Amino acid sequence: MSRHKPLVFSGVQPTGNLHLGNYLGAIRNFVRLQQSYSCLYCVVDMHAITIWQEPQELRNATREVASAFIAAGVDPKAHIIFNQSQVAAHAELAWIFNCVARIGWLNRMTQFKDKAGSNREKASVGLYAYPNLMAADILAYRATHVPIGEDQTQHLELARDIAQKFNTDFGVPDFFPQPEALLQPEGARIMSLKDGTKKMSKSDPSDLSRINLNDDADAIAKKIRKARTDPEPLPATGKELESRPEARNLVGIYAALSDTAAGEVLQEFAGSEFSRFKGRLTDLCVAKLGPIGAEMKRLMADPAYVEGVLADGAARAHAIAAPIMTEVYDVVGFIRAR
Ligand code: AMP
Ligand code: TRP
């Protein structure tokens, strides 16, 4: 049995265009986890700059992600919302992990290969070392549970390897926990409204491919109306949706937003034309996302409040990480004033 207290840590990058996929795949889960865990939710601005960010946009996107957390229902008093760069432990522990992780481990990271593309020589060193910083995010608090999307499982595995190697190299068994992924069920993957085989993504050049969290009712209605479908009416079983990615995605969104299974949605809509289903889906999206979007707008108009939440969260995060960092420095052999 591990001596470590259950603690949730997760991060979202402030890189603009928060969308329905981010909400159903990540943020909504953050909200739910508050009931069973103490949670730290971090806007990872230091991860964002591994790829160029305009400073003014970075500031804005940082406030936007924090606003989305609050608007969706994360309680910044009961839990912690903060931005990464305000707590020095992240950078400090990341450096130590740069010296624990092996180049061979990082060479296997598929996200680096995807993001660096064909021109690896021009990628930032930070992009390469990104997973070490992510390990530091989690382990600076000895977090035990990490809600992530499928795409981050390899990074979490690396964090576990780093924790293990640190514990072994320095002869401190169980110093860092082995953090566990909290993965979302398969239906949580939301696809593009224009192509049911591609993930809904903030980097898709077509704004019609995604529903942004700050879209108003008209924008939501228009995007769902224009969403790609096929000519068949809705079937009675999920099996019949397997070869119909766009139909399957829209049914999946309906199921996720109404907290039911896709099968139940089909029971209700079997035989319906898409026009009818899309009308109902629009109503549901507007009912669920409208209040979140409106609250985000209100918060974005009050940057002093949002920055106050981040500063307060950072101070409380620092209070957790600082004594752990003191232990880390001692274990590593760094001299510090006592
Ligand atoms: P990203 O926008 O890629 O930085 O992702 C931020 C968080 O949202 C991560 O936890 C992702 O797994 C999640 N996410 C992003 N896009 C989707 C999507 N299309 N469907 C479900 N989850 C998503
Ligand atoms: N790399 C994650 C992503 O792009 C964000 C992230 C940074 C994170 N640090 C983290 C997620 C720590 C979980 C825990 O989605």
Side-chain angles (χ1 to χ4, degrees), residues 202-249:
K202 62 184 151 206
S203 55
D204 193 313
S206 167
D207 196 54
L208 287 175
S209 70
R210 65 182 158 260
I211 294 175
N212 298 308
L213 287 187
N214 54 13
D215 280 344
D216 60 20
D218 288 345
I220 293 174
K222 175 174 152 200
K223 287 176 178 180
I224 293 179
R225 197 165 4 93
K226 293 189 170 237
R228 183 164 159 188
T229 45
D230 54 46
E232 304 296 319
L234 282 158
T237 65
K239 187 124 193 65
E240 295 162 81
L241 281 178
E242 274 168 17
S243 55
R244 300 172 61 186
E246 284 82 18
R248 182 173 145 177
N249 185 40

Side-chain angles (χ1 to χ4, degrees), residues 29-298:
N29 199 26
F30 294 180
V31 176
R32 294 181 171 171
L33 287 167
Q34 298 180 101
Q35 284 161 21
S36 335
Y37 295 91
S38 279
C39 304
L40 290 124
Y41 295 127
C42 184
V43 188
V44 290
D45 47 8
M46 290 160 64
H47 276 109
I49 64 162
T50 58
I51 289 174
W52 172 254
Q53 305 295 325
E54 288 299 333
Q56 197 49 45
E57 283 167 29
L58 179 62
R59 264 187 282 275
N60 206 52
T62 300
R63 286 189 289 257
E64 187 173 303
V65 173
S67 299
F69 288 170
I70 301 166
V74 176
D75 178 348
K77 292 220 161 66
H79 300 270
I80 294 178
I81 297 176
F82 72 110
N83 59 313
Q84 191 181 28
S85 60
Q86 280 205 78
V87 180
H90 296 255
E92 294 171 356
L93 189 56
W95 179 259
I96 291 170
F97 287 170
N98 283 343
C99 305
V100 172
R102 304 290 91 182
I103 289 177
W105 299 1
L106 291 179
N107 282 344
R108 287 193 283 275
M109 295 296 114
T110 57
Q111 185 176 290
F112 175 75
K113 291 179 199 165
D114 292 346
K115 287 198 182 174
S118 52
N119 206 347
R120 280 175 67 137
E121 299 285 312
K122 289 253 168 81
S124 74
V125 176
L127 187 67
Y128 186 69
Y130 178 116
N132 297 344
L133 176 59
M134 180 162 158
D137 296 341
I138 300 163
L139 295 170
Y141 305 93
R142 293 191 166 124
T144 55
H145 293 81
V146 185
I148 43 168
E150 197 71 60
D151 57 325
Q152 295 298 315
T153 50
Q154 194 184 33
H155 289 161
L156 191 70
E157 281 299 319
L158 190 91
R160 294 165 63 94
D161 291 345
I162 289 174
Q164 170 106 57
K165 182 160 161 58
F166 182 98
N167 293 354
T168 311
D169 285 357
F170 291 102
V172 283
D174 213 28
F175 184 88
F176 285 123
Q178 287 279 293
E180 276 172 44
L182 295 173
L183 283 168
Q184 287 279 82
E186 134 80 331
R189 201 172 140 91
I190 307 302
M191 311 310 277
S192 158
L193 298 181
K194 289 280 149 199
D195 177 350
T197 63
K198 273 192 354 208
K199 239 174 79 163
M200 185 177 285
S201 158
K202 62 184 151 206
S203 55
D204 193 313
S206 167
D207 196 54
L208 287 175
S209 70
R210 65 182 158 260
I211 294 175
N212 298 308
L213 287 187
N214 54 13
D215 280 344
D216 60 20
D218 288 345
I220 293 174
K222 175 174 152 200
K223 287 176 178 180
I224 293 179
R225 197 165 4 93
K226 293 189 170 237
R228 183 164 159 188
T229 45
D230 54 46
E232 304 296 319
L234 282 158
T237 65
K239 187 124 193 65
E240 295 162 81
L241 281 178
E242 274 168 17
S243 55
R244 300 172 61 186
E246 284 82 18
R248 182 173 145 177
N249 185 40
L250 294 182
V251 170
I253 292 173
Y254 194 102
L257 283 174
S258 59
D259 257 312
T260 48
E264 281 183 45
V265 178
L266 289 176
Q267 267 181 16
E268 188 179 344
F269 290 101
S272 279
E273 296 301 322
F274 266 101
S275 52
R276 173 167 169 262
F277 177 69
K278 281 181 164 183
R280 293 284 301 278
L281 180 59
T282 300
D283 294 345
L284 181 62
C285 271
V286 170
K288 296 284 179 181
L289 300 183
I292 296 174
E295 180 65 0
M296 272 176 76
K297 222 169 250 158
R298 199 185 64 76

